[in-house]
Amino acid sequence: MTTTYDVTGMTCAHCVAAVTEELSALDGVTDVTVDLVAGGTSHVTVTGDTSSDAVREAVAEAGYALA
């Protein structure tokens, strides 16, 4: 299953790396891609079997929030 989430607050490659690292560490996640919109709402696509709650927590752990 592939799901795209809107994430706010990301501004640079460091942000992309932090979110990708946290999401990739989730059980069941096989791929993470980020379409960065610096200072706007970025689109984070997660492939695998995980819950939206787990994604929300991982994004928060990286220091950002789902829109």
Side-chain angles (χ1 to χ4, degrees):
M1 180 167 83
T2 300
T3 306
T4 300
Y5 299 89
D6 293 338
V7 177
T8 59
M10 299 171 64
T11 59
C12 64
H14 174 76
C15 304
V16 172
V19 168
T20 300
E21 180 180 339
E22 290 293 335
L23 291 172
S24 295
L26 294 175
D27 287 339
V29 172
T30 58
D31 190 42
V32 177
T33 59
V34 178
D35 179 18
L36 177 66
V37 179
T41 302
S42 299
H43 306 288
V44 178
T45 301
V46 178
T47 301
D49 185 23
T50 190
S51 71
S52 60
D53 287 341
V55 169
R56 181 180 306 277
E57 289 178 22
V59 169
E61 184 67 28
Y64 307 97
L66 296 185

